[in-house]
PDB file of all heavy atoms in Angstrom:
ATOM      1  N   VAL A1317      77.072 104.818 122.414  1.00  0.00           N
ATOM      2  CA  VAL A1317      77.717 104.309 123.629  1.00  0.00           C
ATOM      3  C   VAL A1317      76.880 103.161 124.239  1.00  0.00           C
ATOM      4  O   VAL A1317      77.432 102.276 124.902  1.00  0.00           O
ATOM      5  CB  VAL A1317      77.882 105.464 124.637  1.00  0.00           C
ATOM      6  CG1 VAL A1317      78.518 104.947 125.944  1.00  0.00           C
ATOM      7  CG2 VAL A1317      78.727 106.568 124.037  1.00  0.00           C
ATOM      8  N   ALA A1318      75.595 103.149 123.989  1.00  0.00           N
ATOM      9  CA  ALA A1318      74.703 102.153 124.525  1.00  0.00           C
ATOM     10  C   ALA A1318      74.678 100.860 123.667  1.00  0.00           C
ATOM     11  O   ALA A1318      74.104  99.892 124.096  1.00  0.00           O
ATOM     12  CB  ALA A1318      73.290 102.700 124.660  1.00  0.00           C
ATOM     13  N   ARG A1319      75.309 100.922 122.533  1.00  0.00           N
ATOM     14  CA  ARG A1319      75.314  99.694 121.671  1.00  0.00           C
ATOM     15  C   ARG A1319      76.186  98.594 122.283  1.00  0.00           C
ATOM     16  O   ARG A1319      77.207  98.863 122.829  1.00  0.00           O
ATOM     17  CB  ARG A1319      75.879 100.066 120.278  1.00  0.00           C
ATOM     18  CG  ARG A1319      74.872 100.804 119.370  1.00  0.00           C
ATOM     19  CD  ARG A1319      75.488 101.019 118.018  1.00  0.00           C
ATOM     20  NE  ARG A1319      74.556 101.655 117.122  1.00  0.00           N
ATOM     21  CZ  ARG A1319      73.704 101.041 116.325  1.00  0.00           C
ATOM     22  NH1 ARG A1319      73.697  99.706 116.345  1.00  0.00           N
ATOM     23  NH2 ARG A1319      72.930 101.707 115.497  1.00  0.00           N
ATOM     24  N   GLU A1320      75.708  97.381 122.120  1.00  0.00           N
ATOM     25  CA  GLU A1320      76.454  96.227 122.568  1.00  0.00           C
ATOM     26  C   GLU A1320      77.045  95.538 121.382  1.00  0.00           C
ATOM     27  O   GLU A1320      76.403  95.398 120.332  1.00  0.00           O
ATOM     28  CB  GLU A1320      75.514  95.279 123.325  1.00  0.00           C
ATOM     29  CG  GLU A1320      76.245  94.190 124.057  1.00  0.00           C
ATOM     30  CD  GLU A1320      75.293  93.356 124.937  1.00  0.00           C
ATOM     31  OE1 GLU A1320      74.332  93.962 125.469  1.00  0.00           O
ATOM     32  OE2 GLU A1320      75.543  92.174 125.106  1.00  0.00           O
ATOM     33  N   TYR A1321      78.288  95.057 121.513  1.00  0.00           N
ATOM     34  CA  TYR A1321      78.975  94.451 120.383  1.00  0.00           C
ATOM     35  C   TYR A1321      78.351  93.094 120.074  1.00  0.00           C
ATOM     36  O   TYR A1321      78.170  92.250 120.927  1.00  0.00           O
ATOM     37  CB  TYR A1321      80.475  94.267 120.706  1.00  0.00           C
ATOM     38  CG  TYR A1321      81.294  93.830 119.478  1.00  0.00           C
ATOM     39  CD1 TYR A1321      81.724  94.818 118.576  1.00  0.00           C
ATOM     40  CD2 TYR A1321      81.600  92.517 119.245  1.00  0.00           C
ATOM     41  CE1 TYR A1321      82.482  94.451 117.450  1.00  0.00           C
ATOM     42  CE2 TYR A1321      82.378  92.181 118.154  1.00  0.00           C
ATOM     43  CZ  TYR A1321      82.799  93.139 117.272  1.00  0.00           C
ATOM     44  OH  TYR A1321      83.558  92.782 116.162  1.00  0.00           O
ATOM     45  N   PRO A1322      77.998  92.847 118.764  1.00  0.00           N
ATOM     46  CA  PRO A1322      77.385  91.554 118.417  1.00  0.00           C
ATOM     47  C   PRO A1322      78.321  90.411 118.587  1.00  0.00           C
ATOM     48  O   PRO A1322      79.461  90.479 118.204  1.00  0.00           O
ATOM     49  CB  PRO A1322      77.020  91.765 116.912  1.00  0.00           C
ATOM     50  CG  PRO A1322      77.003  93.254 116.701  1.00  0.00           C
ATOM     51  CD  PRO A1322      78.011  93.774 117.657  1.00  0.00           C
ATOM     52  N   ARG A1323      77.803  89.294 119.139  1.00  0.00           N
ATOM     53  CA  ARG A1323      78.625  88.148 119.375  1.00  0.00           C
ATOM     54  C   ARG A1323      78.014  86.837 118.856  1.00  0.00           C
ATOM     55  O   ARG A1323      78.657  86.007 118.260  1.00  0.00           O
ATOM     56  CB  ARG A1323      78.879  87.956 120.878  1.00  0.00           C
ATOM     57  CG  ARG A1323      79.805  89.001 121.434  1.00  0.00           C
ATOM     58  CD  ARG A1323      81.243  88.680 121.110  1.00  0.00           C
ATOM     59  NE  ARG A1323      82.164  89.663 121.711  1.00  0.00           N
ATOM     60  CZ  ARG A1323      83.465  89.743 121.448  1.00  0.00           C
ATOM     61  NH1 ARG A1323      84.007  88.854 120.590  1.00  0.00           N
ATOM     62  NH2 ARG A1323      84.223  90.635 121.988  1.00  0.00           N
ATOM     63  N   ASP A1324      76.757  86.585 119.148  1.00  0.00           N
ATOM     64  CA  ASP A1324      76.144  85.267 118.943  1.00  0.00           C
ATOM     65  C   ASP A1324      75.795  84.993 117.504  1.00  0.00           C
ATOM     66  O   ASP A1324      75.374  85.896 116.788  1.00  0.00           O
ATOM     67  CB  ASP A1324      74.934  85.087 119.859  1.00  0.00           C
ATOM     68  CG  ASP A1324      75.299  85.136 121.329  1.00  0.00           C
ATOM     69  OD1 ASP A1324      76.302  84.466 121.689  1.00  0.00           O
ATOM     70  OD2 ASP A1324      74.644  85.821 122.112  1.00  0.00           O
ATOM     71  N   TYR A1325      75.922  83.746 117.144  1.00  0.00           N
ATOM     72  CA  TYR A1325      75.691  83.291 115.776  1.00  0.00           C
ATOM     73  C   TYR A1325      74.206  83.050 115.493  1.00  0.00           C
ATOM     74  O   TYR A1325      73.459  82.568 116.340  1.00  0.00           O
ATOM     75  CB  TYR A1325      76.535  82.017 115.628  1.00  0.00           C
ATOM     76  CG  TYR A1325      76.088  80.998 114.570  1.00  0.00           C
ATOM     77  CD1 TYR A1325      76.240  81.337 113.212  1.00  0.00           C
ATOM     78  CD2 TYR A1325      75.606  79.776 114.901  1.00  0.00           C
ATOM     79  CE1 TYR A1325      75.879  80.427 112.226  1.00  0.00           C
ATOM     80  CE2 TYR A1325      75.291  78.861 113.921  1.00  0.00           C
ATOM     81  CZ  TYR A1325      75.397  79.178 112.590  1.00  0.00           C
ATOM     82  OH  TYR A1325      75.021  78.298 111.626  1.00  0.00           O
ATOM     83  N   LEU A1326      73.786  83.446 114.278  1.00  0.00           N
ATOM     84  CA  LEU A1326      72.400  83.221 113.861  1.00  0.00           C
ATOM     85  C   LEU A1326      72.415  82.278 112.658  1.00  0.00           C
ATOM     86  O   LEU A1326      73.041  82.581 111.646  1.00  0.00           O
ATOM     87  CB  LEU A1326      71.717  84.557 113.490  1.00  0.00           C
ATOM     88  CG  LEU A1326      70.220  84.619 113.458  1.00  0.00           C
ATOM     89  CD1 LEU A1326      69.723  86.006 113.713  1.00  0.00           C
ATOM     90  CD2 LEU A1326      69.689  84.129 112.127  1.00  0.00           C
ATOM     91  N   GLU A1327      71.789  81.123 112.771  1.00  0.00           N
ATOM     92  CA  GLU A1327      71.873  80.109 111.722  1.00  0.00           C
ATOM     93  C   GLU A1327      70.780  80.290 110.700  1.00  0.00           C
ATOM     94  O   GLU A1327      69.595  80.388 110.998  1.00  0.00           O
ATOM     95  CB  GLU A1327      71.714  78.730 112.377  1.00  0.00           C
ATOM     96  CG  GLU A1327      71.997  77.552 111.424  1.00  0.00           C
ATOM     97  CD  GLU A1327      72.096  76.226 112.165  1.00  0.00           C
ATOM     98  OE1 GLU A1327      73.224  75.867 112.561  1.00  0.00           O
ATOM     99  OE2 GLU A1327      71.068  75.563 112.363  1.00  0.00           O
ATOM    100  N   THR A1328      71.205  80.311 109.380  1.00  0.00           N
ATOM    101  CA  THR A1328      70.275  80.416 108.318  1.00  0.00           C
ATOM    102  C   THR A1328      70.003  79.051 107.624  1.00  0.00           C
ATOM    103  O   THR A1328      69.058  78.976 106.822  1.00  0.00           O
ATOM    104  CB  THR A1328      70.775  81.381 107.236  1.00  0.00           C
ATOM    105  OG1 THR A1328      71.938  80.829 106.619  1.00  0.00           O
ATOM    106  CG2 THR A1328      71.114  82.718 107.821  1.00  0.00           C
ATOM    107  N   GLY A1329      70.793  78.080 107.911  1.00  0.00           N
ATOM    108  CA  GLY A1329      70.662  76.757 107.268  1.00  0.00           C
ATOM    109  C   GLY A1329      71.230  76.686 105.877  1.00  0.00           C
ATOM    110  O   GLY A1329      71.049  75.711 105.156  1.00  0.00           O
ATOM    111  N   ILE A1330      71.975  77.763 105.474  1.00  0.00           N
ATOM    112  CA  ILE A1330      72.575  77.838 104.122  1.00  0.00           C
ATOM    113  C   ILE A1330      74.077  77.746 104.308  1.00  0.00           C
ATOM    114  O   ILE A1330      74.702  78.617 104.952  1.00  0.00           O
ATOM    115  CB  ILE A1330      72.149  79.142 103.418  1.00  0.00           C
ATOM    116  CG1 ILE A1330      70.622  79.145 103.246  1.00  0.00           C
ATOM    117  CG2 ILE A1330      72.877  79.258 102.105  1.00  0.00           C
ATOM    118  CD1 ILE A1330      70.026  80.458 102.803  1.00  0.00           C
ATOM    119  N   SER A1331      74.723  76.764 103.690  1.00  0.00           N
ATOM    120  CA  SER A1331      76.159  76.490 103.962  1.00  0.00           C
ATOM    121  C   SER A1331      77.020  77.693 103.574  1.00  0.00           C
ATOM    122  O   SER A1331      77.938  78.045 104.334  1.00  0.00           O
ATOM    123  CB  SER A1331      76.589  75.285 103.140  1.00  0.00           C
ATOM    124  OG  SER A1331      75.975  74.110 103.605  1.00  0.00           O
ATOM    125  N   ALA A1332      76.759  78.309 102.419  1.00  0.00           N
ATOM    126  CA  ALA A1332      77.635  79.409 101.984  1.00  0.00           C
ATOM    127  C   ALA A1332      77.610  80.585 102.945  1.00  0.00           C
ATOM    128  O   ALA A1332      78.616  81.270 103.129  1.00  0.00           O
ATOM    129  CB  ALA A1332      77.184  79.896 100.575  1.00  0.00           C
ATOM    130  N   ILE A1333      76.457  80.788 103.589  1.00  0.00           N
ATOM    131  CA  ILE A1333      76.334  81.892 104.541  1.00  0.00           C
ATOM    132  C   ILE A1333      76.855  81.504 105.919  1.00  0.00           C
ATOM    133  O   ILE A1333      77.724  82.169 106.469  1.00  0.00           O
ATOM    134  CB  ILE A1333      74.871  82.413 104.624  1.00  0.00           C
ATOM    135  CG1 ILE A1333      74.424  82.985 103.281  1.00  0.00           C
ATOM    136  CG2 ILE A1333      74.727  83.470 105.719  1.00  0.00           C
ATOM    137  CD1 ILE A1333      72.957  83.399 103.266  1.00  0.00           C
ATOM    138  N   ASP A1334      76.349  80.417 106.415  1.00  0.00           N
ATOM    139  CA  ASP A1334      76.732  80.019 107.783  1.00  0.00           C
ATOM    140  C   ASP A1334      78.188  79.718 107.949  1.00  0.00           C
ATOM    141  O   ASP A1334      78.815  80.043 108.989  1.00  0.00           O
ATOM    142  CB  ASP A1334      75.903  78.775 108.204  1.00  0.00           C
ATOM    143  CG  ASP A1334      74.442  79.088 108.384  1.00  0.00           C
ATOM    144  OD1 ASP A1334      74.062  80.256 108.419  1.00  0.00           O
ATOM    145  OD2 ASP A1334      73.637  78.123 108.426  1.00  0.00           O
ATOM    146  N   THR A1335      78.821  79.127 106.953  1.00  0.00           N
ATOM    147  CA  THR A1335      80.233  78.714 107.056  1.00  0.00           C
ATOM    148  C   THR A1335      81.188  79.833 106.670  1.00  0.00           C
ATOM    149  O   THR A1335      82.201  80.052 107.320  1.00  0.00           O
ATOM    150  CB  THR A1335      80.492  77.489 106.183  1.00  0.00           C
ATOM    151  OG1 THR A1335      79.500  76.500 106.453  1.00  0.00           O
ATOM    152  CG2 THR A1335      81.870  76.904 106.436  1.00  0.00           C
ATOM    153  N   LEU A1336      80.876  80.535 105.573  1.00  0.00           N
ATOM    154  CA  LEU A1336      81.860  81.475 104.998  1.00  0.00           C
ATOM    155  C   LEU A1336      81.573  82.956 105.225  1.00  0.00           C
ATOM    156  O   LEU A1336      82.483  83.763 105.209  1.00  0.00           O
ATOM    157  CB  LEU A1336      81.942  81.181 103.450  1.00  0.00           C
ATOM    158  CG  LEU A1336      82.366  79.752 103.118  1.00  0.00           C
ATOM    159  CD1 LEU A1336      82.222  79.491 101.646  1.00  0.00           C
ATOM    160  CD2 LEU A1336      83.795  79.477 103.589  1.00  0.00           C
ATOM    161  N   THR A1337      80.322  83.314 105.376  1.00  0.00           N
ATOM    162  CA  THR A1337      79.977  84.721 105.669  1.00  0.00           C
ATOM    163  C   THR A1337      78.986  84.732 106.850  1.00  0.00           C
ATOM    164  O   THR A1337      77.885  85.187 106.702  1.00  0.00           O
ATOM    165  CB  THR A1337      79.370  85.431 104.460  1.00  0.00           C
ATOM    166  OG1 THR A1337      78.223  84.680 103.954  1.00  0.00           O
ATOM    167  CG2 THR A1337      80.377  85.543 103.354  1.00  0.00           C
ATOM    168  N   THR A1338      79.400  84.221 107.961  1.00  0.00           N
ATOM    169  CA  THR A1338      78.553  83.938 109.097  1.00  0.00           C
ATOM    170  C   THR A1338      77.799  85.212 109.556  1.00  0.00           C
ATOM    171  O   THR A1338      78.375  86.250 109.701  1.00  0.00           O
ATOM    172  CB  THR A1338      79.349  83.344 110.252  1.00  0.00           C
ATOM    173  OG1 THR A1338      80.150  82.286 109.760  1.00  0.00           O
ATOM    174  CG2 THR A1338      78.430  82.861 111.345  1.00  0.00           C
ATOM    175  N   LEU A1339      76.480  85.025 109.730  1.00  0.00           N
ATOM    176  CA  LEU A1339      75.631  86.110 110.200  1.00  0.00           C
ATOM    177  C   LEU A1339      75.616  86.105 111.739  1.00  0.00           C
ATOM    178  O   LEU A1339      75.314  85.092 112.383  1.00  0.00           O
ATOM    179  CB  LEU A1339      74.202  85.885 109.653  1.00  0.00           C
ATOM    180  CG  LEU A1339      73.142  86.933 110.071  1.00  0.00           C
ATOM    181  CD1 LEU A1339      73.519  88.289 109.516  1.00  0.00           C
ATOM    182  CD2 LEU A1339      71.772  86.505 109.558  1.00  0.00           C
ATOM    183  N   ILE A1340      75.969  87.264 112.308  1.00  0.00           N
ATOM    184  CA  ILE A1340      76.030  87.403 113.764  1.00  0.00           C
ATOM    185  C   ILE A1340      74.811  88.219 114.232  1.00  0.00           C
ATOM    186  O   ILE A1340      74.408  89.162 113.584  1.00  0.00           O
ATOM    187  CB  ILE A1340      77.321  88.118 114.181  1.00  0.00           C
ATOM    188  CG1 ILE A1340      78.548  87.395 113.594  1.00  0.00           C
ATOM    189  CG2 ILE A1340      77.436  88.229 115.706  1.00  0.00           C
ATOM    190  CD1 ILE A1340      78.677  85.938 114.060  1.00  0.00           C
ATOM    191  N   ARG A1341      74.223  87.809 115.311  1.00  0.00           N
ATOM    192  CA  ARG A1341      73.032  88.478 115.841  1.00  0.00           C
ATOM    193  C   ARG A1341      73.339  89.950 116.144  1.00  0.00           C
ATOM    194  O   ARG A1341      74.272  90.264 116.894  1.00  0.00           O
ATOM    195  CB  ARG A1341      72.587  87.776 117.118  1.00  0.00           C
ATOM    196  CG  ARG A1341      71.155  88.048 117.548  1.00  0.00           C
ATOM    197  CD  ARG A1341      70.829  87.445 118.898  1.00  0.00           C
ATOM    198  NE  ARG A1341      71.206  86.030 118.977  1.00  0.00           N
ATOM    199  CZ  ARG A1341      71.208  85.349 120.104  1.00  0.00           C
ATOM    200  NH1 ARG A1341      70.940  85.959 121.260  1.00  0.00           N
ATOM    201  NH2 ARG A1341      71.562  84.095 120.118  1.00  0.00           N
ATOM    202  N   GLY A1342      72.570  90.842 115.526  1.00  0.00           N
ATOM    203  CA  GLY A1342      72.808  92.283 115.693  1.00  0.00           C
ATOM    204  C   GLY A1342      73.581  92.924 114.564  1.00  0.00           C
ATOM    205  O   GLY A1342      73.870  94.127 114.555  1.00  0.00           O
ATOM    206  N   GLN A1343      73.925  92.113 113.566  1.00  0.00           N
ATOM    207  CA  GLN A1343      74.762  92.557 112.425  1.00  0.00           C
ATOM    208  C   GLN A1343      73.929  93.120 111.291  1.00  0.00           C
ATOM    209  O   GLN A1343      72.728  92.793 111.167  1.00  0.00           O
ATOM    210  CB  GLN A1343      75.624  91.382 111.909  1.00  0.00           C
ATOM    211  CG  GLN A1343      76.599  91.755 110.827  1.00  0.00           C
ATOM    212  CD  GLN A1343      77.421  90.553 110.360  1.00  0.00           C
ATOM    213  OE1 GLN A1343      77.160  89.416 110.777  1.00  0.00           O
ATOM    214  NE2 GLN A1343      78.435  90.804 109.548  1.00  0.00           N
ATOM    215  N   LYS A1344      74.530  93.918 110.471  1.00  0.00           N
ATOM    216  CA  LYS A1344      73.946  94.404 109.215  1.00  0.00           C
ATOM    217  C   LYS A1344      74.678  93.721 108.068  1.00  0.00           C
ATOM    218  O   LYS A1344      75.854  94.078 107.841  1.00  0.00           O
ATOM    219  CB  LYS A1344      74.055  95.933 109.098  1.00  0.00           C
ATOM    220  CG  LYS A1344      73.525  96.693 110.301  1.00  0.00           C
ATOM    221  CD  LYS A1344      73.705  98.196 110.146  1.00  0.00           C
ATOM    222  CE  LYS A1344      75.173  98.614 110.354  1.00  0.00           C
ATOM    223  NZ  LYS A1344      75.597  98.541 111.736  1.00  0.00           N
TER     224      LYS A1344
END
């Protein structure tokens, strides 16, 4: 219940990840 839904983007500098499988702060 205390978890907050991840929203913000975390940039890796890698096109395939940032554009197509974007990593969100707080994600697994």
